[in-house]
Amino acid sequence: MRTSVRTSLRYLLLAAIAVVVLFPIYITVVNALLPVQLIGHRPPVLFPSHPLWSDFSQAWSGGSLSQYLRTSAIVSISITVGSVATSVLAAYAFAFLEFPLKRVLFGLCLATLMVPAEVTIIPNYRTIQVFGWFDTYPALIVPFVASGLGIFLFRQSFRQLPRELRDAAVLDGYGHWRFLLRVVLPLNRPMLSAFAIFAWLGAWNQYLWPLLVTNTDARRTVQVGLRQLEGLSVSAPNVVFAGTILAALPIFAVLFLFQRQLVRGLTAGAVKG
Amino acid sequence: MRSRRTRDVLLAYLMTVPAFAAFVIFVFYPLVKTVYLGFYRVAPFPGLPSHYVGFSQYSTVLSHSQFLAPLFNSTLFVLFTVPTGIAIGLGMAVAAHRQLRGIRLFRIVFSSTIATSVAVASVIFFTLLDPTTGLFAYWIGQRGGTGLLGNPTFALPAVAVVSVWQNLGFSFILMSAALASVPEDLLEAAAIDGASGGRRFFRVTMPLISPTLFFAAIVGVIAGFQTFGQIDLLTQGGPNGHTNVLLYQIYTTFYINADTGTASVMAVALFLILVLLTLVQFSIIQRKVFYADER
């Protein structure tokens, strides 16, 4: 009897937390489904009795959201593929090859972890101008195609492969490339996918840099696009709500599909074990 | 044999070149260049050349309120967000730690804010806090006026709430992983010794998860000093500079006022603050690895 009361109390607590956490998202969805005249209505409408889906199509086309999402997809996927590729190559060299200045170069990789992109925006902005990349895809992608964190994590992961595997591969006549593609990459899939999700999320959520180097809707990422959308909050609040939901949906989908990889990526280094 | 070693060296350089090309162009060069730009004072009118002033620009900018006020705001913002974020995340993790039917669903809900970006969270709260149409104004029985975000006292705490909410998912995931790493047998042993639930939590669980708490604190402080999107979308540094944090001040000085010299000096200062914090973080991680090896 006492345990069942305690269990119910625990569920009550969990439910209360869930309501607080979800409420801002819930109310945004509700508002996105309301007709304009009911937004800001007193008393507030907390449930859409006649959901109106047209706001979404309006946000999709009218608010240039489809364009923003397309740019964000291209940019974030390019950054992910690029940074995984460059990190795999460099990590392989650091893990399996001997060469002069190896330690110095690896030290420099780690040093990049201490330089957040925010503190170098001023010269980088000028570099983009000099390259003629302002308001182009390269401006959004190229500065982020290398990752010190990726190199570090992959090197750690690669070095845990048993030496015998390398010896056996050499005996089988595998060169470095074949060893990398056939042995190293398949065996390190968990680390590769964890980093890839992490890199994708970071790229998708970037705000300051895309704001600096773009000035047309064709090249604005969805995060910066939200800033444009926010400007409609008086004239077309329903479009703002619908747009916000549409902007968040891709991450919800990806995170739901890759929960495990994400948790591993986020907690790497934070919790031992 | 020797040619093979030479080939390996060549291959190694070939493999590291793509990453290092990007590092040199977009990390190391701009870092040095930022320090260098700090030595040059930009002319007050566009078109005139900037001139070398050496360290004097560093000393004037860093002692001026245009830097000190944003530094103070950033510090305050970190104090508002970091302890609360960790405490709430830990509380949620403790609540969801017990094995119950349907707990998986609660865990998904609790981590859900990780799927909102800073921009999404900011726009959501921007509409919630709208002084005329927002729900918050209705709850506190006010309509019109400046609203929370236009209030000098409440603007920064309001932005902090948005950040804490947006980070809850991350904090919850981190704290849950830490709780899961606490060995069950230690807690059972403490229970057999007669330790109450609270005592077990503070005497057994807390010390064991303290490395994660430190980690979360440092990551939170570093992220706090890089706060930009919330400010840009919610307050633009206002009212009257009360939410003008360091990175937002760098942005306006550089991007709006085109004062590259002053902005560079402040960027160097931000870099030094972040380096210091990162070094602290590294030393904590290293100590943790050491403990782990020892066991």
Side-chain angles (χ1 to χ4, degrees), chain A residues 11 100 207 212 223 227 230, chain B residues 13 101 117 226 232-233 255:
Chain A
Y11 274 119
Y207 184 81
L212 290 180
Q223 311 299 333
R227 188 191 209 232
E230 198 191 61
Chain B
Y13 287 133
R101 190 192 292 267
S117 63
Q226 288 168 269
D232 188 48
L233 286 163
Y255 207 64

Side-chain angles (χ1 to χ4, degrees), chain B residues 206-276:
Chain B
M206 284 290 265
L208 282 171
I209 64 169
S210 61
T212 305
L213 297 179
F214 273 122
F215 177 85
I218 294 289
V219 170
V221 174
I222 292 175
F225 274 104
Q226 288 168 269
T227 297
F228 176 80
Q230 299 93 312
I231 304 298
D232 188 48
L233 286 163
L234 291 170
T235 62
Q236 289 86 48
N240 218 341
H242 277 93
T243 59
N244 189 12
V245 295
L246 208 42
L247 190 55
Y248 196 76
Q249 171 73 345
I250 293 173
Y251 163 77
T252 45
T253 308
F254 166 62
Y255 207 64
I256 315 287
N257 304 341
D259 187 351
T260 313
T262 306
S264 297
V265 169
M266 294 193 279
V268 171
L270 176 63
F271 169 66
L272 292 177
I273 293 170
L274 294 173
V275 163
L276 210 71

